[in-house]
């Protein structure tokens, strides 16, 4: 394990994923030698946290053993084109980008995808985050597994194709779920009711599926086919076209899902 | 408070809400004298838990101080018609039923609405559940406040009109959120990936809005306007018409919400 920790790491990108990953790697004893970001402020901030160097010029990126690319999906290919000749293993942390994005640019590459939602001001325990890895050769797959296992209790080798579905599922479980919170909060705040009233309900809704399948856990007017309540609710939403459409479509989908059981 | 606990309670209905409410009331020292349900098995089961009597014939309902009606919305008015002359206070526990449903049948009435999702096999701590009360006279509002305060730390007087919006918000925050979990689980299970992989993400998504507003907490391809990822995801969903429609509508709504900020 001492040899493992001797691997020098460079972070390419300084956003939420890079920040949480960098902090967690450093806590575990890995050496972050440099942070690269196009934005000097972001690069400097993260570098200071990690006692690392930083650069905004891709030509100045230092030699290292592993490069973690945590960049917006649309920026990654363009950045790869500008890189000088570098040693080591290139990995990205994206859900929907195939591993082969690296193929035209570098011989050793892989993926290190942590399935979690990262926000800058929230501490996160990496131990509980499932990490999905992939590499284009067995040695680097092993190296990634070793690094990932230092951070997380849940490490799985997963193909780029399956990872794309995992990312799609995460959009429903996280991004769309959060949008349900947005809609619910708006309904309350428009009536001067504090959105905090919903927190116990939101927490219990999430907790429930630790012991029940989501289909078993489904409650509410749609799954009960309670048409009177659904009509009432649609009337309450008459001035919000999008919320009405969401209510109708999701109610239809809940009925459909419960019929498939 | 001794006088308060002398109030005799009858539960009308023996479903999830009646069960959790009855158990919590009894734990606090209230006397449940009887359980009524149209289904003998349900009535008996809950009555045994509460060491109470039970009946399936509304004509045999006993005199009491407070009657809690936890029946399906569509069944409540029909049941009220069949009741004999009874004393006491009638309250229901429904989100979307106006208090005045009782007016043609009984002089003293109100509402006791706990904002939570109840499942039969899950224990729930009533302390954290916001309870919303309403009564047609100040004395009964006070009585309901006293009873509710025995169970919960959060008791609020709320009009029937506002309660309806609260219930609508709960459909988004709980029922529709759970349907997002259903969709996400289906995507994984169709690819032989265990749905448990999503649990840390789901818990963190819920936890986040304890410290961030849902709008601040929004992440994902839609809020980033990441059209490439969204197109990829829609392609992955090409054989699931409903899931595709949900993906498109919610992405549109996320973009719209972020523009309103």
């Amino acid at each position: 394990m001492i040899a493992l920790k001797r691997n020098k790491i460079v972070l390419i990108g300084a956003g939420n994923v890079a920040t949480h990953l960098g902090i967690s790697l450093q806590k575990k004893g890995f050496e972050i030698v440099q942070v690269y970001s196009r934005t000097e402020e972001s690069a400097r901030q993260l570098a200071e946290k990690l006692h690392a160097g930083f650069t905004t010029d891709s030509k100045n990126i230092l030699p290292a053993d592993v490069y973690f690319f945590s960049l917006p999906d649309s920026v990654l290919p363009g950045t790869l084109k500008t890189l000088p000749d570098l040693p080591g293993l290139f990995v990205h942390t994206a859900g929907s980008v195939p591993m082969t994005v690296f193929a035209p640019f570098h011989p050793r590459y892989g993926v290190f995808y942590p399935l979690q939602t990262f926000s800058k001001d929230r501490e996160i325990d990496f131990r509980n985050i499932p990490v999905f890895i992939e590499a284009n050769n067995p040695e680097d797959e092993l190296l990634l597994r070793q690094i990932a296992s230092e951070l997380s209790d849940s490490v799985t080798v997963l193909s780029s194709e399956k990872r794309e579905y995992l990312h799609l599922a995460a959009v429903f479980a996280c991004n769309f779920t959060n949008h349900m919170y947005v809609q619910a909060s708006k309904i309350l705040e428009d009536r001067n009711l504090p959105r905090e009233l919903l927190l116990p309900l939101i927490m219990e809704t999430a907790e429930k599926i630790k012991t029940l399948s989501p289909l078993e856990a489904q409650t509410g007017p749609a799954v009960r086919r309670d048409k009177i309540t659904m009509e009432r609710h649609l009337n309450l939403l008459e001035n919000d076209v999008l919320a009405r459409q969401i209510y109708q479509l999701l109610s239809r989908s809940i009925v459909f899902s419960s019929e498939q059981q």
Side-chain angles (χ1 to χ4, degrees), chain A residues 116-178:
Chain A
Q116 188 51 283
T117 170
F118 297 96
S119 304
K120 223 149 203 169
D121 294 329
R122 280 188 62 82
E123 272 208 34
I124 279 206
D125 184 358
F126 232 95
R127 274 275 138 240
N128 303 318
I129 302 178
V131 175
F132 299 88
I133 57 165
E134 190 185 11
N136 76 331
N137 64 81
E139 294 76 19
D140 286 329
E141 186 184 297
L142 178 62
L143 175 60
L144 284 179
R145 180 186 283 285
Q146 288 172 329
I147 296 173
S149 301
E150 287 287 310
L151 303 186
S152 167
D153 290 333
S154 165
V155 179
T156 311
V157 176
L158 197 75
S159 69
S160 288
E161 195 213 329
K162 280 201 170 184
R163 180 164 33 79
E164 221 177 336
Y165 281 100
L166 194 66
H167 185 225
L168 174 62
V171 169
F172 280 87
C174 170
N175 309 146
F176 290 169
T177 287
N178 185 75

Side-chain angles (χ1 to χ4, degrees), chain A residues 22-35:
Chain A
I23 291 170
S24 299
L25 284 166
Q26 198 190 45
K27 271 192 190 158
K28 287 292 166 183
F30 289 96
E31 187 189 356
I32 318 290
V33 293
Q34 192 182 40
V35 176

Side-chain angles (χ1 to χ4, degrees), chain A residues 67 69-83 90-112 134-136 160 163:
Chain A
Y67 295 83
F69 291 76
S70 307
L71 296 169
D73 295 2
S74 57
V75 172
L76 177 58
T79 305
L80 287 171
K81 273 184 205 147
T82 70
L83 293 184
F90 282 14
V91 296
H92 73 68
T93 58
S96 283
V97 178
M99 172 171 75
T100 49
V101 68
F102 292 116
F105 307 102
H106 199 71
R108 289 172 53 203
Y109 53 83
V111 175
F112 180 104
E134 190 185 11
N136 76 331
S160 288
R163 180 164 33 79

Side-chain angles (χ1 to χ4, degrees), chain A residues 9 47 51 55 58 63 69 72 77 86 104 116 133 135 146 148 158 204 261:
Chain A
I9 290 170
H51 312 289
T55 180
S58 58
F69 291 76
L86 291 167
Q116 188 51 283
I133 57 165
Q146 288 172 329
L158 197 75
E204 171 66 10
Q261 275 185 279

